[in-house]
Each structure stands twice: as C-alpha cells, then as structure tokens.
Amino acid sequence: MNERFIKKLMSTTKCSVCGEHYEINNIKVLRHEDDMWFLNVFCPSCRSQALVAAVVKKDKSLETTTDLTKAESAKFTQAFTISADDILDLHNFLQDFDGDFAKLFSQK
Ligand SMILES: [Zn+2]
C-alpha cells in the first residue's frame, strides 16, 4: 500500500457536493498509520474541501499504474476492505467531524 495507490482509490470517488470526481493532484495525504489513512481532498469544481479517513488492508497489494477498466474496478473492490462507496460514506460522515482524532480512535 502506498500513497499513490490511496490517491488513486480516492480519485474514484465523487465530490459529495457537486458529484465531480476528485483529481489525484487535489488529494493530499495528511497522515498514514498502519492501515489508516487520513486524506484532505479538494474539489476544484465547487471549491469544497473534505477530510477523509480510509482503512485499507496492506497485505493485499495491487498495482494501479493505469486507469481502471470495469473488470479491474470489480477486482479492485473485492480485493480491499473498502470500496469507493465506503470512502464516500466516510467522506460524508467526516464533513461533521470536529477533528478530534483521539476521540474517534477510542470509539470501538
Ligand atoms: Zn465538488
């Protein structure tokens, strides 16, 4: 699992405000701990910004150097513990998130 991959994954999701896809250049990794990634995404279309948390299993690697075909996307979704929809759900959830990570991590 690397930064390029998580950005690629995030770029498959759409902005919850205007529905445009995020671009890799507008995705910034804030923090990476084990399987947990915190990303800051910016949508150039509507100029909204969001904090996104993602948990990705690192023992399953998949090279994503090209744009995904439909078949690859299906494989991709099965190979990881999260899908683009999960990220979008988190994205929506985190729009109300107050930034207290300690509190978030203590919730089981
Ligand atoms: Zn947008």
Side-chain angles (χ1 to χ4, degrees):
M1 187 55 51
N2 60 33
E3 201 168 308
R4 192 182 60 182
F5 179 86
I6 197 80
K7 286 182 178 180
K8 182 77 187 174
L9 181 63
M10 194 60 214
S11 72
T12 65
T13 67
K14 290 175 183 171
C15 171
S16 62
V17 178
C18 72
E20 286 293 316
H21 278 281
Y22 289 118
E23 291 167 24
I24 286 182
N25 290 343
N26 294 318
I27 300 165
K28 198 163 73 177
V29 174
L30 300 175
R31 199 163 172 188
H32 170 213
E33 277 181 45
D34 298 325
D35 298 343
M36 180 84 81
W37 293 77
F38 290 101
L39 311 164
N40 186 276
V41 294
F42 173 74
C43 174
S45 299
C46 67
R47 311 195 70 78
S48 67
Q49 207 162 354
L51 179 68
V52 177
V55 179
V56 185
K57 270 194 180 172
K58 63 184 170 187
D59 59 345
K60 301 195 180 164
S61 60
L62 181 67
E63 277 297 318
T64 53
T65 51
T66 59
D67 286 334
L68 296 174
T69 64
K70 210 172 176 182
E72 283 171 330
S73 291
K75 192 170 102 180
F76 182 87
T77 305
Q78 288 166 6
F80 293 88
T81 56
I82 54 168
S83 68
D85 284 345
D86 291 332
I87 289 191
L88 198 59
D89 286 345
L90 265 171
H91 170 115
N92 293 334
F93 166 73
L94 287 169
Q95 292 207 314
D96 297 325
F97 182 51
D98 61 3
D100 188 346
F101 287 116
K103 198 171 80 187
L104 183 73
F105 287 137
S106 67
Q107 289 171 355
K108 295 287 176 191

